[in-house]
Amino acid sequence: GDSVTQMEGPVTLSEEAFLTINCTYTATGYPSLFWYVQYPGEGLQLLLKATKADDKGSNKGFEATYRKETTSFHLEKGSVQVSDSAVYFCALSAGFYGQNFVFGPGTRLSVLP
Amino acid sequence: NAGVTQTPKFQVLKTGQSMTLQCAQDMNHNSMYWYRQDPGMGLRLIYYSASEGTTDKGEVPNGYNVSRLNKREFSLRLESAAPSQTSVYFCASSEGQGPNYGYTFGSGTRLTVV
């Protein structure tokens, strides 16, 4: 079945450091790819998405490029802030029905001042 | 802008007790979902409702029932709670089904079964 693999962390960075969180996927067909962010005590929020190969999703300084050849959707940010501390989930949606939306296990990011 | 509202936010149950988790969305979304979140396992789909009047099982439906009361509301019921159901439960909604639709999540219900 479809699956998402991501580095589980925790990832600890200093403020203004460069961030990469790796995400790879396995899916039949051509999935859409998403990054969600969960701040402490809150639900998940959509951070960015890409719906086809070579698309780049971006939001709030975060970027991710849909790489079909490597089945990857790595999340990057050039300069992280303390306020970016959260759990980041990579996800895919491959089919028409709700059960085809698959989440990775999440990566906890802590940014130190 | 309420979005997806879940109640309660916290609950402690004794083994064998029953309860209903409530979820309501005000975005006129057609599809609604219930997930559970457990450490190291990400989110797992319990049940979903593609549209008003329909419900279907997800990955982990055992021990749960759902009701799509109307377009706005989608409740999750635990008939006889077990410690294995200790988790954080999230309700979500989407405008439609299909790979291009992202989800809007509620803030979660933290359930402990003792």
Side-chain angles (χ1 to χ4, degrees), chain B residues 60-82:
Chain B
V60 289
N62 291 344
Y64 305 96
N65 284 301
V66 291
S67 295
R68 184 73 183 267
L69 304 170
N70 47 56
K71 192 171 185 180
R72 290 187 63 248
E73 299 173 285
F74 188 40
S75 62
L76 178 72
R77 183 161 178 82
L78 286 71
E79 291 291 352
S80 179

Side-chain angles (χ1 to χ4, degrees), chain A residues 5-103:
Chain A
T5 302
Q6 60 179 112
M7 51 195 293
E8 293 198 27
V11 175
T12 302
L13 295 174
S14 298
E15 204 165 25
E16 299 184 0
F18 185 86
L19 169 71
T20 299
I21 301 177
N22 291 335
C23 171
T24 57
Y25 67 90
T26 302
T28 54
Y30 302 95
S32 293
L33 302 174
F34 303 81
W35 277 102
Y36 281 81
V37 58
Q38 184 181 29
Y39 298 103
E42 299 183 10
L44 280 71
Q45 303 174 25
L46 179 63
L47 181 60
L48 54 84
K49 71 176 185 180
T51 58
K52 61 182 187 296
D54 299 325
D55 269 3
K56 177 184 286 188
S58 61
N59 186 24
K60 299 180 180 180
F62 291 90
E63 293 182 340
T65 301
Y66 189 141
R67 301 289 187 197
K68 187 170 181 292
E69 64 275 14
T70 55
T71 62
S72 65
F73 193 55
H74 304 322
L75 182 68
E76 297 181 336
K77 187 175 185 183
S79 176
V80 293
Q81 305 299 312
V82 172
S83 57
D84 294 326
S85 297
V87 181
Y88 292 82
F89 293 89
C90 186
L92 68 83
S93 178
F96 186 78
Y97 299 106
Q99 70 267 38
N100 294 118
F101 208 114
V102 177
F103 288 86

Side-chain angles (χ1 to χ4, degrees), chain B residues 89-105:
Chain B
Y89 291 85
F90 287 100
C91 178
S93 68
S94 64
E95 187 175 353
Q97 292 277 291
N100 291 334
Y101 291 101
Y103 291 1
T104 300
F105 284 84

